[in-house]
Amino acid sequence: MPERAFAQLRFYEELNDFLPEALRKRDIEVPIDRSRSVKDAIESLGVPHPEVDLILVDGKSVGFEHLLRGGERVSVYPMFERLDISPLNRLRPRPLRDPRFIADVHLGKLARHLRMAGFDVLWANDWDDDFIVARSAGERRTILTRDKGMLRRSDVERGYFVRATESEAQLGEVLSALQLEARVEPFTRCRECNSLLEDVAKAEVEERLPPKVRGFYERFKRCPGCRRIYWEGTHFARMRGVMQRSLRRSSGATPSDG
Ligand SMILES: [Zn+2]
């Protein structure tokens, strides 16, 4: 009987979140019987493929279907790793040029926060996984989920596993991990129904405003979808605070970081 073949896999940065403690940040021997796709080897360790953006086999970038035969060294990098890998092949076009999302049923608060930050996020509390996956594929939306199992499905192409559990921390995490800070546009989208807001003259909405708001604010927007009226009140101020904190955290040691 021939000797059993192995490949050495190593995962970088936040891909280690998916591995048991003992396997993090070290070489892992994965048995290769006959031949095995690199995608299959990666997923056998519990790392969902949508989180992976770059695979190097013996220093050369390969696609998911690349076959391992044993003896290779495999380096696996996360989707949103900030290394400059532009000369190498990413596994898919640079993600999130037009960031659009679909959030799983447990992330309703995060969906609302992201809408407040101006991002297009679909969410409903009664969508099942099949629906979310199909809609993600059809509309090229990135799935946001706390369910690693969903990201392991072979029909999922774009997905991000949200690590934080508290909704404001989740917002900061997503803005930072997906490098969305520069695209934040507060006060542009309805937090309840995801429609783009329209400017509306104060005179047109005045009678629907609480007296305090009528006295304090001059700038208003209206949702064409659900007719809600928005003004830059305390909720927006709080959201700006959350986003600024997240910006500061993720900008690291840039010169502008005071
Ligand atoms: Zn609305």
Side-chain angles (χ1 to χ4, degrees):
M1 209 178 116
E3 209 177 303
R4 204 170 190 197
F6 292 89
Q8 304 272 348
L9 270 70
R10 191 177 182 113
F11 293 87
Y12 287 86
E13 305 299 331
E14 59 265 33
L15 291 180
N16 286 280
D17 296 354
F18 297 98
L19 297 172
E21 197 79 53
L23 297 182
R24 289 182 188 169
K25 303 199 170 181
R26 47 169 294 232
D27 292 341
I28 305 167
E29 289 210 317
V30 177
I32 310 295
D33 295 322
R34 291 201 203 96
S35 61
R36 185 173 202 187
S37 75
V38 68
K39 179 182 176 187
D40 181 46
I42 289 169
E43 294 210 309
S44 74
L45 292 165
V47 176
H49 71 271
E51 292 267 329
V52 173
D53 196 29
L54 176 71
I55 304 168
L56 301 182
V57 173
D58 295 327
K60 200 167 154 273
S61 59
V62 301
F64 280 125
E65 303 315 318
H66 179 88
L67 290 180
L68 299 174
R69 298 194 158 78
E72 298 92 341
R73 290 192 68 86
V74 183
S75 306
V76 189
Y77 295 88
M79 181 101 177
F80 305 105
E81 176 52 43
R82 287 161 187 241
L83 297 173
D84 180 13
I85 59 169
S86 41
L88 302 164
N89 290 331
R90 281 176 173 267
L91 289 169
R92 52 183 73 73
R94 188 91 181 96
L96 308 179
R97 196 161 291 145
D98 174 25
R100 285 183 299 167
F101 302 97
I102 184 163
D104 81 18
V105 289
H106 306 292
L107 295 175
K109 277 190 181 170
L110 172 62
R112 287 191 178 84
H113 287 336
L114 280 166
R115 289 170 181 165
M116 294 275 286
F119 296 101
D120 178 350
V121 187
L122 298 183
W123 175 85
N125 64 5
D126 58 354
W127 288 346
D128 65 18
D129 288 3
D130 288 339
F131 181 86
I132 290 172
V133 170
R135 194 106 191 233
S136 156
E139 300 177 23
R140 299 170 162 262
R141 289 176 178 273
T142 298
I143 297 174
L144 298 173
T145 182
R146 296 257 315 133
D147 176 2
K148 294 173 190 173
M150 178 140 67
L151 294 186
R152 289 191 194 113
R153 292 172 53 141
S154 61
D155 48 354
V156 169
E157 222 181 274
R158 295 169 183 75
Y160 176 74
F161 172 69
V162 180
R163 275 79 168 169
T165 52
E166 189 276 321
S167 67
E168 285 193 7
Q170 289 173 339
L171 174 67
E173 177 192 328
V174 169
L175 293 181
S176 164
L178 311 196
Q179 302 179 41
L180 297 172
E181 295 97 332
R183 318 188 58 154
V184 167
E185 285 183 87
F187 209 43
T188 55
R189 192 175 289 274
C190 179
R191 69 191 288 270
E192 297 305 324
C193 77
N194 201 41
S195 305
L196 284 170
L197 301 178
E198 296 171 346
D199 287 318
V200 62
K202 187 175 181 179
E204 263 190 71
V205 295
E206 204 151 21
E207 60 193 37
R208 288 176 54 193
L209 301 174
K212 269 191 184 166
V213 171
R214 203 177 302 150
F216 273 107
Y217 298 97
E218 295 303 321
R219 223 182 125 215
F220 296 90
K221 300 234 180 182
R222 184 166 56 197
C223 174
C226 68
R227 311 303 286 173
R228 275 186 178 75
I229 297 164
Y230 287 83
W231 56 90
E232 294 198 69
T234 50
H235 196 86
F236 275 93
R238 192 169 71 99
M239 195 51 54
R240 281 223 164 87
V242 172
M243 287 184 292
Q244 276 159 7
R245 283 195 294 280
S246 120
L247 266 168
R248 232 172 288 139
R249 262 204 307 275
S250 57
S251 66
T254 59
S256 60
D257 188 32

